[in-house]
Amino acid sequence: MGWLWGSGKDGNSESSSTDPLKDLDPSLREFLQKESPVKYKISEAPSQASSTTTPSRSSPAYSEASTQTSETPTTGPASSVVASKSAYPDGRYAHLWSTYTPLSEIEDASKTDQEKLLDVLNGFKERKAQIGRAAIENCADEQWAVSECYRSGKITDRLRLCHAENQSFERCYNMQARFLKALGYLSTYDRPPEVDEQIQMHADTLYHRMLDQERLVKEAKDACLPIPTFPRLMPSTKSTEDAASAKTLSTKGPASEIPLPQELQDLKPTVKAQFRERLKGLSPEEREIEEKAMVMEVAAGETVGKQISQIYEETGKARQLRKEQGKETVGDKISSLFGW
């Protein structure tokens, strides 16, 4: 029954574990040693290996080995330089991430000039659409009130087409859009989503702060108390301060007499007339926010214009380079004829 305890002749499995090919035929053993991908090595007894290879703590060899170990620099993944775009902060696959190029950069490099222009214009249009969506999200309570009024409101309210609720929702939407524009929601296009969310939340905070101030003013008037004063919701422009000092913020007169911020004085007369129409009939608080929104709209438009001009300049330089190299295309000749 020795086979139950081992394959050795003495029934001891230790001898077979040191040489797994010991009991095979010599010719088969030689063949396996030559052809087998796994090379079997005869290991010495653990006691002898440990006694011959492991130095004692008091021996000079141990102290020398420990010194070399402490002086040897770490060459693992943690010591390697982690690429900025790597998905593994611990440095794994650093040799692959060092040459990684995102798909967006590859697509941008292969875009034509027309596609680049479309991207800039579509980005500006998408930004405007996002302002509407963000304003709707901030006015969810008012929109729900309108829906509830139509569904289960009083008969008198439904006969009036829920006028009060619709008016509250419309004012919320317009003011939220103004706050978003004034806070720079249109300014950039490559902004992280977290920044857009912070701007949206701050716009909602400013709107409800304005409602609270209006409520306190109304309560003070009803109680015949002094009207409280509050700090400005947005940074004031020069025209707003001048108009406030002259007490001409009613904006109920002709649109041509409504002053504009200093940042909008260099615009075309038609554009200034449109801006004055937007300011007509607004309260002082609403006008202050609308002026800031118009200034940020103009700044966003200037940014888009600079991006388009940069694309045209790069196109012109590339066309001139092809012309100097004698590689001018038919499209380049047509563009030069029309002055594009």
Side-chain angles (χ1 to χ4, degrees), residues 243-259:
S245 60
K247 297 182 180 181
T248 59
L249 280 172
S250 60
T251 65
K252 293 181 180 180
S256 59
E257 299 178 1
I258 300 176

Side-chain angles (χ1 to χ4, degrees), residues 40 60 189 271 292 326 340:
Y40 294 97
Y189 311 103
V271 179
K292 187 66 176 178
W340 296 345

Side-chain angles (χ1 to χ4, degrees), residues 8 15 24 94 104 111 134 151 164 166 181 240 242-243 261 283 295 336:
S15 60
L24 297 180
S104 58
K111 285 182 179 179
R151 184 168 53 185
N166 277 304
K181 292 178 182 179
T240 305
D242 296 342
S283 64
V295 171
S336 60

Side-chain angles (χ1 to χ4, degrees), residues 20-34:
L21 308 180
K22 186 175 76 118
D23 295 332
L24 297 180
D25 184 74
S27 59
L28 178 59
R29 180 177 178 177
E30 183 180 359
F31 175 79
L32 289 176
Q33 287 179 349
K34 290 181 179 180

